[in-house]
């Protein structure tokens, strides 16, 4: 009898702490506020999507907010039939893939030896690399170097200068260091070479960090803009961001002009700009969910041993 | 030694290309810094251009635009710190308090997305959302009977736009570090607080925030260390001629005088100034971090 009373008492206490009135109000307020923040994150995208699928008239009269008005896919038809846009997309995809593969190869090649604490000269190499995280020559000497190497206006100007990010390299190194040494020692006992150990034992265990860093390198290249502005002149080699930038600069110019000469400038339809923005964003949104579960742990890994 | 090499040559072999990369593309430009002290032109090259000593520095330090861009850099970074720094902290605490796992996961997924969008695209979105005549916000604003707000062309409103887009882009992503730190908090502390009858806000104030203290201080110090470094793309893409007095920062200034006007020496001087002052800030921040949290950031 006593026992039963006891149990009912404890459950009562528990019930009180989890569903007290103040608690519930807190939860409701919290969830509501978070939902608003999440919506604020999404609304710009939804608005752009709505613009891209609307006709010119409702866009100009400001009727389009979150849903397309006078639905039309005309803008997308135009974007997809614009050969220079398709070529730019193709070039950017190729550039991003080559860049990411080379970056990962280099980062792994540097990370594996540097994860061995008994490697002679390791400290020297680490200092050499870490210095570059905090001090650089600046964009003008970088530009002159790229020019002197005759890389201007080639895709290599967009690949070679960014091959290893010291920060990502450190993430790679700390990941390698967390792999139990006994695994490598066992392989070494069996006469495995370092190359073989790296390829057959270390890399298969490193898929999470490889996925994370690949995503970071790829997104960095996909979104990269400043170097394309500096190094690329030929329209054949315009990556998407540079092409988009020209549309946006056109935007800004028209925004400024509108106050004076209303509608006299030959402006690109808003829906076409919106469709181009969506066009350049979609590939990232497709890749993103697949890699999301990896990158959170990757960032934390980098944060722990920054 | 030779047995050592025989055993480890493969590791050194792997390092050859990466080290060559660092020497060429990181240390190569550092060699080029001497342009700041030379009357550089492309025909003579770096080595054969004539030494001019500190002349270019004198010229830069007499340039009004230089001080304007320096001021803007510090101002934008400082305001950004005020607005963008607390945002991820608040968001992380809110996310941490959510009990429904699916809602938490979904929110995180959506909140991270803007971090993966380029500034060029954000620039496009900003124009569509904040444009004076046909922007989303102004359409709604005017529908309520108000005058349109010049978000992009009036310097003061432009600052607001600049700061808001920064929060929008980075707040969600910034929660990751805080959430990571929160997983380290002992759950028993919360249970004990429950027993003592502490409400949710009290728990946040007395347990969650103290648990994040080290992370907050470290991140704050890192941010202060980056006061003079400013990205090129955000002010360049969101800025425009009408607000140039505020949007022109050191990095866009270097780009403009260097690559657009071809004054390589002057631009290198400004870049060097930025690099050196930036380095001093970072080292100072590291020192402060060691003093306050016992751990350096380097």
């Amino acid at each position: 009898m006593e026992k039963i009373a006891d149990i009912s008492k404890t459950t009562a206490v528990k019930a009180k702490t989890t569903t007290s009135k103040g608690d519930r109000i807190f939860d409701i307020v919290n969830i509501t506020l978070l939902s608003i923040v999440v919506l604020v994150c999404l609304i710009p995208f939804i608005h752009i999507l709505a613009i891209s699928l609307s006709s010119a008239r409702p866009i100009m009269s400001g009727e389009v907010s979150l849903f397309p008005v006078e639905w039309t896919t005309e803008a997308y038809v135009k974007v997809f039939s614009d050969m220079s846009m398709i070529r730019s997309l193709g070039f950017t995809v190729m550039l991003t893939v080559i860049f990411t593969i080379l970056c990962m190869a280099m980062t792994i090649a540097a990370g594996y030896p540097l994860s061995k604490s008994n490697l002679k000269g390791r400290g020297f190499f680490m200092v050499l690399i870490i210095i570059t995280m905090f001090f650089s020559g600046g964009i003008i000497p970088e530009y002159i170097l790229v020019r002197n190497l005759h890389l201007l206006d080639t895709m290599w100007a967009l690949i070679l200068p960014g091959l290893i990010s010291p920060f990502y390299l450190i993430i790679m190194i700390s990941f390698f260091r967390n792999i139990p040494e006994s695994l490598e020692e066992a392989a070494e006992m069996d006469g495995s070479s370092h190359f073989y150990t790296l390829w057959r034992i270390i890399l298969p265990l490193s898929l999470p960090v490889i996925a994370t860093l690949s995503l970071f390198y790829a997104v960095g290249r996909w979104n990269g803009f400043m170097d394309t502005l500096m190094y690329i002149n030929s329209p054949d080699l315009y990556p998407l961001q540079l092409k988009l930038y020209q549309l946006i600069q056109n935007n800004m110019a028209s925004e400024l002009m509108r106050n004076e000469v209303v509608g006299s400038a030959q402006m690109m339809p808003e829906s076409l700009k919106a469709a181009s923005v969506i066009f350049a964003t979609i590939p990232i949104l497709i890749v993103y969910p697949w890699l999301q579960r990896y990158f959170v742990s990757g960032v934390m890994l980098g944060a722990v041993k920054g | 030694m030779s047995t050592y090499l025989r055993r480890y040559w493969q590791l050194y072999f792997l390092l050859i290309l990466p080290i060559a990369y660092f020497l060429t593309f990181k240390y190569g430009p550092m060699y080029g810094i001497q342009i700041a002290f030379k009357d550089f032109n492309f025909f003579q090259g770096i080595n054969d251009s004539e030494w001019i000593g500190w002349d270019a520095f004198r010229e830069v330090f007499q340039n009004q635009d230089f001080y304007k861009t320096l001021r803007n850099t510090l101002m934008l970074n400082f305001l950004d710190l005020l607005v963008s720094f607390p945002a991820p902290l608040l968001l992380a605490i809110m996310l941490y308090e959510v009990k429904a796992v699916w809602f938490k996961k979904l929110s995180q997924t959506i909140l991270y997305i803007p971090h993966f969008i380029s500034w060029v695209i954000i620039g496009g979105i900003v124009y569509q959302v904040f444009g004076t005549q046909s922007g989303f916000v102004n359409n709604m604003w005017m529908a309520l009977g108000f005058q349109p707000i010049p978000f992009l062309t009036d310097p003061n409103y432009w600052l607001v736009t600049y700061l808001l887009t920064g929060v929008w882009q980075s707040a969600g992503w910034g929660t990751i570090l805080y959430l990571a730190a929160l997983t380290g908090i002992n759950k028993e502390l919360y249970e004990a607080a429950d027993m003592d009858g502490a409400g949710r806000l009290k728990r946040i104030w007395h347990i969650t925030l103290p648990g994040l203290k080290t992370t907050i201080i470290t991140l704050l110090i890192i941010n202060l260390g980056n006061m003079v470094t400013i990205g090129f793309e955000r002010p360049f893409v969101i800025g425009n001629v009408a607000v140039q007095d505020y949007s022109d920062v050191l990095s866009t200034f270097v780009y403009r005088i260097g690559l657009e006007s071809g004054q390589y020496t002057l631009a290198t001087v400004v870049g060097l100034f930025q690099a050196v002052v930036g380095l001093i800030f970072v080292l100072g921040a590291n020192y402060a971090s060691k003093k306050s949290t016992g751990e350096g950031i380097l």
Side-chain angles (χ1 to χ4, degrees):
Chain A
M1 210 41 196
E2 246 182 47
K3 237 184 185 172
I4 292 170
D6 241 26
I7 291 171
S8 66
K9 209 172 151 195
T10 52
T11 47
V13 167
K14 230 183 193 165
K16 194 179 155 239
T17 51
T18 46
T19 59
S20 80
K21 205 174 166 197
D23 227 29
R24 224 172 322 147
I25 294 174
F26 180 94
D27 277 334
I28 292 170
V29 172
N30 190 33
I31 299 260
T32 312
L33 286 179
L34 258 182
S35 305
I36 294 173
V37 175
V38 167
L39 280 179
V40 167
C41 261
L42 276 184
I43 283 174
F45 292 109
I46 298 173
H47 175 65
I48 298 275
L49 195 62
I51 292 276
S52 72
L53 290 166
S54 297
S55 307
R57 192 201 56 79
I59 295 174
M60 288 318 274
S61 62
E63 288 165 40
V64 183
S65 51
L66 299 179
F67 299 99
V69 178
E70 294 178 19
W71 175 286
T72 168
T73 52
E74 203 185 327
Y76 286 97
V77 172
K78 267 196 191 138
V79 170
F80 279 98
S81 58
D82 176 355
M83 274 325 285
S84 73
M85 204 69 168
I86 298 294
R87 185 157 9 98
S88 182
L89 175 74
F91 175 65
T92 314
V93 169
M94 181 186 76
L95 182 69
T96 304
V97 170
I98 295 177
F99 178 77
T100 307
I101 291 172
L102 289 180
C103 284
M104 285 318 291
M106 290 286 272
T107 307
I108 290 167
Y112 181 60
L114 294 175
S115 70
K116 306 246 170 273
S117 39
N118 58 353
L119 187 84
K120 282 183 184 150
R122 175 182 181 274
F124 170 75
F125 293 130
M126 286 306 286
V127 169
L128 192 79
I129 289 164
I130 287 172
I131 285 174
T132 66
M133 285 172 82
F134 301 101
F135 188 76
S136 72
I139 66 165
I140 301 299
E142 276 166 28
Y143 173 83
I144 289 168
L145 175 76
V146 167
R147 190 185 150 121
N148 286 345
L149 293 172
H150 301 287
L151 298 175
L152 277 193
D153 224 12
T154 69
M155 66 181 255
W156 297 106
L158 305 179
I159 290 177
L160 296 180
L163 275 184
I164 301 179
S165 147
F167 182 67
Y168 297 165
L169 175 59
I170 286 170
I171 293 181
M172 191 99 225
I173 291 172
S174 51
F175 189 92
F176 283 155
R177 299 194 109 177
N178 283 336
I179 295 175
E181 237 172 278
S182 52
L183 277 174
E184 290 174 66
E185 279 163 9
E188 219 173 304
M189 288 290 184
D190 294 343
S192 159
S193 70
H194 287 290
F195 292 155
Y196 191 81
T197 312
L198 174 62
W199 186 250
R200 295 306 294 267
I201 294 171
I202 303 295
L203 289 189
L205 289 172
S206 309
L207 287 182
V209 76
I210 291 176
T212 309
L213 297 185
S214 298
L215 175 74
F216 289 168
Y217 276 125
V219 169
R221 182 61 276 161
W222 186 272
N223 285 340
F225 164 63
M226 188 189 187
D227 56 349
T228 64
L229 192 67
M230 282 165 58
Y231 300 140
I232 301 298
N233 287 317
S234 140
D236 283 353
L237 293 175
Y238 274 13
L240 267 185
Q241 307 297 336
L242 191 53
K243 239 182 130 43
L244 276 175
Y245 173 69
Q246 293 184 323
L247 298 181
I248 287 154
Q249 205 180 29
N250 182 356
N251 278 341
M252 290 292 185
S254 55
E255 171 79 10
L256 292 174
M257 272 190 311
R258 259 186 216 160
N259 301 328
E260 295 139 31
V261 238
V262 181
S264 73
Q266 179 69 40
M267 284 192 302
M268 216 179 153
E270 300 294 320
S271 59
L272 197 55
K273 293 174 194 162
S276 309
V277 165
I278 299 283
F279 180 77
T281 313
I282 293 277
I284 288 181
L285 295 185
I286 291 175
V287 184
Y288 169 82
W290 300 95
L291 294 162
Q292 194 201 351
R293 67 194 178 101
Y294 292 121
F295 66 63
V296 174
S297 58
V299 172
M300 289 181 191
L301 199 61
V304 173
K305 176 86 201 87
Chain B
M1 188 64 199
S2 65
T3 51
Y4 178 85
L5 268 186
R6 204 173 303 137
R7 212 172 136 201
Y8 287 104
W9 69 269
Q10 292 177 323
L11 296 181
Y12 290 103
F13 181 80
L14 285 173
L15 274 174
I16 292 175
L17 277 179
I19 294 299
Y21 161 77
F22 278 103
L23 291 180
T24 311
F25 287 101
K26 300 286 181 177
Y27 287 90
M30 288 189 207
Y31 177 78
I33 286 176
Q34 55 177 295
I35 293 166
F37 304 93
K38 286 187 163 183
D39 182 17
F40 176 77
N41 72 57
F42 273 112
F43 301 105
Q44 289 167 305
I46 293 178
N47 288 331
D48 293 334
S49 290
E50 213 172 310
W51 290 100
I52 53 167
W54 295 90
D55 285 2
F57 285 80
R58 257 174 234 125
E59 198 175 326
V60 163
F61 290 130
Q62 280 163 7
N63 187 322
Q64 285 307 308
D65 278 356
F66 169 72
Y67 291 104
K68 194 180 77 187
T69 53
L70 179 61
R71 181 205 70 189
N72 288 347
T73 305
L74 293 171
M75 177 183 72
L76 291 181
N77 277 340
F78 180 72
L79 291 177
D80 214 22
L81 187 67
L82 277 188
V83 181
S84 294
F85 189 75
L89 177 62
L90 272 175
L91 258 186
I93 291 174
M94 287 164 75
L95 282 168
Y96 189 62
E97 292 292 332
V98 172
K99 288 172 196 146
V101 177
W102 69 269
F103 182 75
K104 193 174 169 174
K105 287 252 161 75
L106 181 71
S107 316
Q108 282 177 286
T109 303
I110 293 171
L111 289 170
Y112 295 157
I113 289 179
H115 175 80
F116 292 92
I117 304 298
S118 78
W119 279 109
V120 173
I121 289 178
I122 294 177
I125 295 176
V126 162
Y127 166 77
Q128 299 273 9
V129 172
F130 290 112
T132 309
Q133 297 290 323
S134 59
F136 179 52
V137 175
N138 270 320
N139 282 342
M140 311 238 289
W141 191 242
M142 286 189 285
L144 294 173
F146 295 105
Q147 284 293 307
I149 301 168
F151 283 110
L152 299 172
T153 47
D154 175 85
N156 291 318
Y157 283 109
W158 180 82
L159 267 181
V160 176
T161 314
Y162 177 88
L163 296 174
L164 285 182
T165 47
V167 175
W168 185 79
Q169 197 250 3
S170 65
W173 186 250
T175 61
I176 290 186
L177 290 177
Y178 290 119
L179 288 171
L182 284 173
T183 57
I185 291 183
N186 190 345
K187 295 285 179 293
E188 282 170 20
L189 289 175
Y190 288 111
E191 281 163 26
D194 259 353
M195 291 295 181
D196 294 345
R200 297 281 280 280
L201 289 172
K202 277 215 160 120
R203 283 173 30 177
I204 292 172
W205 186 255
H206 291 292
I207 304 175
T208 311
L209 274 177
L212 290 175
K213 205 177 112 196
T214 324
T215 315
I216 296 172
I217 293 175
T218 313
L219 287 178
L220 189 63
I221 288 171
I222 293 177
N223 272 300
L224 287 172
N226 287 329
M227 260 313 174
V228 281
T229 19
I230 189 162
F232 168 83
E233 295 174 7
R234 181 170 162 207
F236 185 74
V237 168
I238 300 183
N240 58 65
V241 191
V243 294
Q244 209 176 15
D245 278 348
Y246 279 8
S247 69
D248 204 11
V249 292
L250 285 172
S251 51
T252 51
F253 183 56
V254 171
Y255 174 80
R256 199 156 37 93
I257 60 171
L259 298 183
E260 279 180 359
S261 331
Q263 303 181 63
Y264 296 101
T265 298
L266 287 187
T268 310
V269 168
V270 179
L272 180 59
F273 170 84
Q274 200 181 359
V276 170
V277 177
L279 186 66
I280 293 170
F281 268 65
V282 168
L283 293 179
N286 185 49
Y287 179 76
S289 172
K290 271 191 177 142
K291 279 268 158 181
S292 62
T293 64
E295 241 177 290
I297 45 179
L298 301 192

